[in-house]
């Protein structure tokens, strides 16, 4: 009997759910069974604020150590939690098709964030979301929270909080049941989200068996990879950590790559934004078949390279406009 492939994943309900989705797809592509290997990350046991933990890969390091030690064959990450610096010996084999990249504000009665009254208690642990919420409604009282999706929703349902801000993709992957609560969807133009939000990353060793790599690469969605490359390049070029108050979103529209990037002051009082539109090479259709380009894609002069340059140019313009004064710098993104 063929030995199962081992998929390393965090232990949370959301991580296990989205890893199982990938496991099923890899099993279909490879013809081999795939088993989940739950792994504890620093971010799962360290209850410090995300603003204190910074961009040190606290949700990825433990998984990557297990992968390097051959305790698993590949990993599934939420891409927004993944540092932009790729470790030696590891490669992103696939970025599956992206889910909804938006944030949502969840309340008991559907009151929009901008209409919440003075002192309304809004829960989020993300410095970006804190800055955006305060800019959107400076009257609210931000509560720095951690925890899984269910526990955060429970704090609204029980009246401890008036609202929480969550990723739409996570709610959707868990079935979309808010237990009677109501969600306000936040538009990406006014409220750009974390680089790579809504996307997953399938990571493996660069010396993995070629047949396994080929099966993983079948999950790659080129449109997603192009968009998240632009977004994450902005973060990298700004030298900002994963939890920095930076919102980016890129989309492909009729052959154009459209990139929006905004840097916020931590208290929401200032922001600096940039919009870039880049025409992709003629003939690029952005089809959704697996490209199998892997880590070498940025060298081919195609849409990945164009996305990289677009992200670098956006970051350069943000820095020229004073973004360095707003963003906490991180040398370990």
């Amino acid at each position: 009997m063929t030995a199962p492939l081992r998929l390393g994943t965090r232990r949370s309900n959301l991580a296990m759910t989205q890893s199982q989705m990938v496991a099923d797809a890899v099993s279909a592509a490879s013809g081999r069974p795939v088993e989940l290997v739950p792994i504890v990350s620093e971010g799962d046991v360290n209850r410090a604020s995300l603003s204190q933990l910074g961009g040190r890969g606290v949700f990825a390091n433990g998984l990557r150590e297990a992968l390097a030690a051959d305790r698993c064959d590949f990993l599934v990450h939420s891409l927004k939690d993944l540092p932009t610096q790729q470790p030696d010996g590891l490669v992103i084999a696939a970025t599956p098709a992206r889910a909804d990249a938006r944030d949502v504000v969840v309340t008991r009665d559907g009151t929009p964030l901008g209409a919440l009254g003075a002192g309304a208690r809004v829960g989020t642990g993300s410095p970006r979301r804190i800055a955006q919420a305060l800019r959107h409604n400076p009257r609210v009282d931000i509560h720095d929270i951690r925890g899984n999706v269910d526990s955060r929703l429970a704090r609204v349902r029980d009246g401890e909080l008036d609202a929480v801000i969550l990723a739409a993709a996570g709610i959707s992957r868990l079935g979309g049941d808010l237990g009677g609560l109501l969600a306000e969807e936040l538009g990406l133009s006014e409220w750009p989200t974390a680089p790579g939000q809504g996307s997953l990353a399938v990571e493996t060793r660069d010396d993995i068996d070629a047949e396994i790599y080929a099966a993983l690469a079948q999950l790659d969605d080129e449109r997603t990879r192009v968009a998240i490359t632009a977004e994450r390049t902005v973060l990298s070029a700004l030298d900002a950590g994963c939890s920095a108050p930076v919102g980016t979103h890129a989309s492909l529209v009729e052959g154009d790559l459209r990139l929006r990037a905004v840097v916020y002051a931590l208290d929401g009082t200032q922001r600096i934004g940039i919009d870039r539109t880049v025409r992709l090479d003629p003939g690029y259709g952005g089809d959704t078949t697996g490209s199998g380009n892997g880590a070498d894609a940025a060298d081919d002069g195609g849409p990945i390279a164009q996305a990289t340059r677009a992200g670098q140019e956006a970051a350069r313009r943000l820095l020229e406009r004073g973004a360095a004064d707003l963003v906490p710098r991180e040398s370990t993104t």
Side-chain angles (χ1 to χ4, degrees):
M1 179 177 178
T2 303
L5 298 175
R6 301 162 299 167
L7 188 168
T9 176
R10 291 173 58 199
R11 294 174 177 266
S12 73
N13 187 23
L14 176 57
M16 297 285 282
T17 298
Q18 58 197 22
S19 292
Q20 188 61 57
M21 293 165 48
V22 172
D24 293 343
V26 171
S27 182
S30 66
R32 295 175 60 175
V34 178
E35 64 180 20
L36 301 188
V37 179
I39 299 167
V40 176
S41 69
E42 179 186 352
D44 295 322
V45 295
N46 188 332
R47 307 315 296 172
S49 166
L50 288 178
S51 60
Q52 295 174 337
L53 291 174
R56 296 185 287 119
V58 294
F59 295 112
N61 292 341
L63 278 71
R64 285 173 159 174
E65 290 168 3
L67 180 61
D70 196 27
R71 290 165 45 203
C72 53
D73 299 304
F74 65 101
L75 306 171
V76 173
H77 305 278
S78 289
L79 190 59
K80 68 182 178 63
D81 296 329
L82 205 59
T84 55
Q85 183 65 44
Q86 188 65 26
D88 292 340
L90 302 183
V91 61
I92 303 299
T95 52
R98 189 182 209 165
D100 193 338
R102 292 176 297 181
D103 278 341
V104 296
V105 178
V106 181
T107 60
R108 288 183 295 278
D109 59 4
T111 301
L113 176 63
L116 290 173
R121 298 155 297 180
V122 177
T124 177
S126 159
R128 170 189 59 82
R129 288 170 176 158
I130 291 171
Q132 289 175 315
L134 290 173
R135 185 168 185 85
H136 202 70
N137 184 347
R139 303 183 303 273
V140 301
D141 180 15
I142 300 293
H143 287 242
D144 191 345
I145 63 171
R146 296 283 306 279
N148 60 35
V149 172
D150 288 339
S151 68
R152 297 186 192 203
L153 294 176
R155 295 173 76 167
V156 176
R157 198 174 294 110
D158 297 343
E160 180 182 345
L161 297 172
D162 296 301
V164 291
I165 306 173
L166 300 170
I171 294 173
S172 175
R173 287 172 179 147
L174 289 173
D177 183 9
L178 296 177
L181 302 176
L182 299 174
E184 173 196 8
E185 297 170 338
L186 301 170
L188 289 164
S189 177
E190 179 62 25
W191 191 288
T193 51
Q197 182 160 310
S199 303
L200 301 177
V202 181
E203 188 173 43
T204 189
R205 295 182 299 277
D206 60 9
D207 62 354
I208 198 73
D209 180 87
E211 289 188 6
I212 297 176
Y213 184 87
L216 300 179
Q218 288 188 45
L219 277 64
D220 196 57
D221 179 81
E222 189 175 15
R223 293 176 65 89
T224 296
R225 188 181 282 269
V226 170
I228 62 94
T229 295
E231 295 170 12
R232 284 168 58 78
T233 299
V234 173
L235 192 68
S236 176
L238 289 174
D239 192 22
C242 301
S243 62
V246 177
T248 66
H249 183 69
S251 59
L252 275 66
V253 181
E254 298 180 349
D256 288 339
L257 172 66
R258 299 180 182 178
L259 172 64
R260 178 162 177 74
V262 183
V263 176
Y264 300 87
L266 289 170
D267 62 2
T269 56
Q270 300 178 66
R271 74 172 182 180
I272 301 171
I274 189 76
D275 291 284
R276 292 274 294 155
T277 298
V278 175
R279 187 67 178 175
L280 297 178
D281 287 338
Y284 172 67
D287 64 54
T288 57
T289 59
S291 63
N293 289 338
D296 297 327
D299 297 329
D300 65 7
I304 297 295
Q306 290 181 282
T308 300
R309 291 193 293 271
Q312 291 169 337
E313 176 65 13
R316 183 184 68 79
R317 294 191 181 188
L318 288 169
L319 290 170
E320 287 178 350
R321 297 181 183 183
D325 296 330
L326 303 183
V327 179
R329 311 305 286 274
E330 289 279 0
S331 60
T332 55
T333 57

